[in-house]
Amino acid sequence: MKLFSKKEANRWLILDQSFFAMFITFSMVELAVASADLVDGLIISNYLNAEAMAAMGVAHPIFSISGIFAGLFATGMQSRCARELGRGDVDIFNRLFSAVMYVSIAFSIVLTATIMLEAAPLAKLMGASGKGAALIEPAVQYLRGVGVGIPALILIGTLSSAVQLDSGRKRVMVGSIAGSVLNIMLDL
């Protein structure tokens, strides 16, 4: 008894290969980002003080939230654009890609402006209040210092998905690793 025809089996093989390649790319990118975050924490904890480390901990969820939105934009764009490419409809692909890029740019500008203008209330929302009130000023400084890079982080996440669709998985991995190495070098 056959479960799949030869054509269906080939389709599943292609999907398995694509999934595995994307999984490897995603894993390498996440490993590079996690390594850079680890080094950031080590440098702050060893060369600054406990207050700076605590301020980083207070501010970090804001950047995790922005990463979630970047991931949503990227994943949605990648799946919809892949479907349109599979259908051979490059015009719809281009429109989808452009729309997601415009939304990503607008979102990143609004998020950056919010972080710059409302850093103190965000720090309080993330726990710099009550006994942690002394962390407000260092958390505000950290939020504003790193917040300037939010547009780049969101656009890198969104563009990485588009580059993967163009058979550029190696470019995404190399770019992520290079960015993490540069981050670590600038930390030192």
Side-chain angles (χ1 to χ4, degrees), residues 17-50:
Q17 290 170 345
S18 295
F19 173 79
F20 184 71
M22 287 183 179
F23 175 76
I24 295 296
T25 302
F26 179 76
S27 297
M28 292 302 294
V29 168
E30 287 301 312
L31 184 62
V33 170
S35 298
D37 282 348
L38 178 68
V39 170
D40 285 346
L42 288 172
I43 288 174
I44 289 173
S45 67
N46 287 316
Y47 296 105
L48 297 176
N49 54 26

Side-chain angles (χ1 to χ4, degrees), residues 113-147:
T114 302
I115 288 171
M116 294 301 170
L117 299 173
E118 301 296 331
L122 286 171
K124 289 177 187 174
L125 179 69
M126 294 294 127
S129 60
K131 291 182 180 179
L135 296 176
I136 291 174
E137 188 55 35
V140 165
Q141 291 174 359
Y142 187 80
L143 279 167
R144 288 185 176 148
V146 180

Side-chain angles (χ1 to χ4, degrees), residues 97-110:
F97 174 76
S98 296
V100 170
M101 289 309 298
Y102 291 138
V103 168
S104 296
I105 290 168
F107 177 78
S108 65
I109 290 170
V110 168

Side-chain angles (χ1 to χ4, degrees), residues 1 9 19 43 60 62 64 80 105 157 162-163 165 175:
M1 176 174 146
F19 173 79
I43 288 174
H60 201 44
I62 299 294
S64 296
R80 287 291 313 273
I105 290 168
V163 171
L165 285 174

